[in-house]
Amino acid sequence: MRNKITVIGAGHVGETAAFNIARLELGDVVLVDILEGVPQGKALDSFESSPIFGFDSTVLGTNSYEDTADSALIVMTAGLARKPGMSRDDLFYKNLEIVEACIREATEVSPDAVIIMVTNPLDAMCEVARRASGFPRERVIGMAGILDSARMRAFIAMELGVSVENTHAFVLGGHGDSMVPLARYSTVAGIPITKLMPHDRVDAIIERTRKGGGEIVKLLKTGSAYYAPGLAIAEMAEAILKDKHKILPCAAYLEGEYGISGTYVGVPVQLGRRGMEKIVEIALTDEERAAFHNSAESVRELIEMIPVAAG
Ligand code: APR
């Protein structure tokens, strides 16, 4: 039997994720939105591309959670996207309500699913989803680090004129301006980038990575990034549904790891069929640890703004 994957939100990110999940034949996709006709139209368009690509996953658009019942995976993208000049944190109260309502409905009919959170501000919305679902932390994980690392990899490849395939990037912390790209763990063909370019270029790449989401928002003027986020979601979905035990940077709820408890923050996570199998702890320098804890603290401040009723 095929897996069923629910994608909530048929906006730019949701449709891109749904299309790529179907293209990878990870299962049959159900795309849900409040707008009538939009998920149906986008799902049909995606499915009509299947003869060209040659994939056999179905894509169904709907406005009803009944159609999503017994999903193995729930991808939550519904919410408002950032507008120019709006920080991810400004979105907080608007998206909190949306996440709470959608996650309650979706998990009621798919109680065994793994949830991939995408709605921003990401780390805080993960906590809203964890509380609203009542799921264990292993089954509520956020997509951010893959996207941030992909951006850093793209900038490294541009700087050095090498294949993106040779690049590896390591980004820790919250999905926001306080994220912590780690240069000494970021490599080209296994060589740390600190040995391949001057410090000021490394610093410029780190800065551009931190502001990567905002750079796209500024250019687009309406809406935010979706190609890279949509594919990052598909990579996480593949690692989970194919039980790959793949280590990817994700937002995870820490319970003592890295000396932090009770908050979501980006760390390397091993993903498999049950969701998060383990959190990988790496040694940090004093400076890196301070930046990481500072980033976790800014997430915690946001989490403390979640009303007790949420969950
Ligand atoms: N239930 C279902 N769908 C909803 C709801 C709801 N309660 N509220 C809003 N939506 C839908 C909208 O109708 C819209 O189709 O969520 C979709 C959001 O789509 P876009 O505005 O295109 O936003 P997108 O670019 O996809 O970003 C979605 O992902 O990366 C994050 O910051 C981004 O939080 C944002 C999210």
Side-chain angles (χ1 to χ4, degrees), residues 191-213:
I191 306 160
I193 58 166
T194 45
K195 304 227 179 302
L196 295 170
M197 59 179 96
H199 281 308
D200 63 324
R201 296 312 302 155
V202 172
D203 289 347
I205 286 175
I206 288 177
E207 194 51 20
R208 194 170 177 193
T209 303
R210 282 210 183 102
K211 307 238 164 89

Side-chain angles (χ1 to χ4, degrees), residues 8-15 32-35 38 42 65 76-82 88 91 95 97-99 101-102 118-121 143 147 175 223-226 229:
I8 309 173
H12 285 118
V13 175
E15 68 177 296
V32 205
D33 202 285
I34 36 165
L35 299 176
V38 171
K42 290 184 176 179
Y65 284 90
M76 174 60 187
T77 79
L80 303 186
R82 264 200 301 168
R88 286 191 183 91
L91 290 175
N95 284 349
E97 243 174 76
I98 295 173
V99 168
C102 293
V118 184
T119 308
N120 275 315
M143 189 293 291
L147 170 62
H175 185 50
S224 53
Y226 51 96

Side-chain angles (χ1 to χ4, degrees), residues 5 17 20-21 24 26 72-76 114-118 122 126 137-147 228-252 264 267-276:
I5 299 119
N20 282 292
I21 287 169
L24 289 168
L26 300 180
L73 189 69
I74 296 168
V75 178
M76 174 60 187
V114 174
I115 302 173
I116 297 178
M117 284 302 300
V118 184
L122 191 266
C126 287
R137 69 171 182 158
E138 286 76 13
R139 292 199 281 127
V140 188
I141 319 153
M143 189 293 291
I146 302 173
L147 170 62
L231 277 160
I233 294 165
E235 184 175 17
M236 267 180 89
E238 185 175 41
I240 293 167
L241 294 171
K242 289 190 177 170
D243 200 23
K244 285 174 80 83
H245 315 300
K246 188 170 183 177
I247 297 170
L248 290 167
C250 303
Y264 272 89
V267 286
V269 163
Q270 183 174 306
L271 293 178
R273 190 63 188 79
R274 289 174 294 115
M276 179 172 78

